[in-house]
Amino acid sequence: MKVNPTVVLTFLLLSMMFGAGALSASLGLELGKAALKEVTQPDVRPNTSGESNSPATGKGQGLKLLKEDEVIKKVKARISGKEVEPEAAQTKAAEPAAEGAEAKAAEEPKKDERFPIATKDQDVSLQVTGVRREGSSLVLDVSLKNEGSRSVQFLYSFLNVTDDKGRSLSATTQGLPGDLPPGDQSYSGTVSIPSALLENAQKLSLTLTDYPDQELELKMSEIPVQ
């Protein structure tokens, strides 16, 4: 039997082609496996704990549900053309304002409700607006006002100051006018008493008369030492 060389050559070529195709497919499969070796499938399971197990895994957090009333507020606000500020943002914005108010209140000096202590006679008024310690003296902040129609004269050496023990105390004045003119203006000054004279004293009394007529008397008591 005579073998046709053409047929043999054809079968040989076909065999080589199939072999080359199989070898190429095998090499492609191996290369693909090597390329995908470090790639893992993402975890699409829901996270029931609501927290990520590990930052490196890249797992997402659980779904956060919105409150129904917040959703309704936002929808109504969008319909009316206004944005509703979230409660957390409102609270955060209110905190600095509250802290600022508290800081301001802390910086402001507390008002002494015991003052002013006032007395008035014949349109002339005397007020003690505060008491403080200054060096070795107790200082009374005072003011005079004359709402009458004529000037009133004072000689402050006649100012009488006593304590709740009945002791007469030496006092000096500063800033008070000797001639108090009529008008709406108040004239401020101080009355200073040496602290050494105030042993065990709790309250003070004060009396001031005009000079020389002594037609009016400005008198007050229960002025606290402390």
Side-chain angles (χ1 to χ4, degrees):
M1 180 179 178
K2 187 177 179 180
V3 179
N4 191 339
T6 303
V7 175
V8 173
L9 181 60
T10 300
F11 277 107
L12 181 60
L13 291 174
L14 290 175
S15 298
M16 292 176 64
M17 290 175 61
F18 280 117
L23 180 61
S24 177
S26 177
L27 290 175
L29 180 62
E30 293 297 328
L31 291 174
K33 288 182 178 180
L36 297 175
K37 186 175 182 181
E38 300 297 329
V39 179
T40 58
Q41 183 178 1
D43 188 357
V44 296
R45 294 175 298 173
N47 191 348
T48 57
S49 65
E51 297 181 357
S52 176
N53 294 330
S54 173
T57 61
K59 294 183 180 179
Q61 295 184 350
L63 179 63
K64 181 179 180 181
L65 299 179
L66 297 176
K67 295 182 180 179
E68 182 179 355
D69 55 347
E70 292 182 359
V71 175
I72 295 174
K73 287 181 181 179
K74 290 183 178 180
V75 172
K76 289 182 177 180
R78 288 185 181 276
I79 293 174
S80 62
K82 297 180 180 180
E83 284 291 340
V84 177
E85 188 176 2
E87 293 181 3
Q90 293 176 357
T91 303
K92 187 175 181 180
E95 286 177 355
E99 292 175 358
E102 291 176 358
K104 184 177 180 180
E107 291 175 358
E108 293 178 351
K110 292 183 179 179
K111 183 178 180 180
D112 194 335
E113 296 181 354
R114 300 174 297 177
F115 298 99
I117 301 173
T119 184
K120 187 174 183 179
D121 188 16
Q122 298 184 25
D123 297 325
V124 178
S125 58
L126 171 66
Q127 283 190 346
V128 176
T129 58
V131 175
R132 53 192 168 87
R133 297 280 181 174
E134 188 173 289
S136 60
S137 299
L138 178 73
V139 179
L140 281 63
D141 295 311
V142 300
S143 66
L144 279 169
K145 185 177 182 181
N146 181 8
E147 296 177 304
S149 58
R150 62 183 181 86
S151 297
V152 179
Q153 293 182 338
F154 291 102
L155 190 61
Y156 295 105
S157 58
F158 289 139
L159 176 66
N160 184 26
V161 180
T162 58
D163 63 11
D164 52 355
K165 308 297 181 183
R167 295 174 297 191
S168 181
L169 307 175
S170 175
T172 58
T173 62
Q174 185 175 359
L176 295 175
D179 190 355
L180 183 64
D184 295 330
Q185 182 177 353
S186 294
Y187 295 86
S188 300
T190 59
V191 177
S192 300
I193 305 164
S195 300
L197 303 179
L198 298 171
E199 184 178 1
N200 299 323
Q202 300 296 323
K203 305 285 185 179
L204 298 178
S205 298
L206 186 151
T207 304
L208 178 65
T209 61
D210 63 324
Y211 180 85
D213 299 330
Q214 296 185 354
E215 294 178 351
L216 61 86
E217 183 179 58
L218 300 172
K219 186 175 183 179
M220 64 176 64
S221 58
E222 298 298 315
I223 304 171
V225 173
Q226 300 295 336

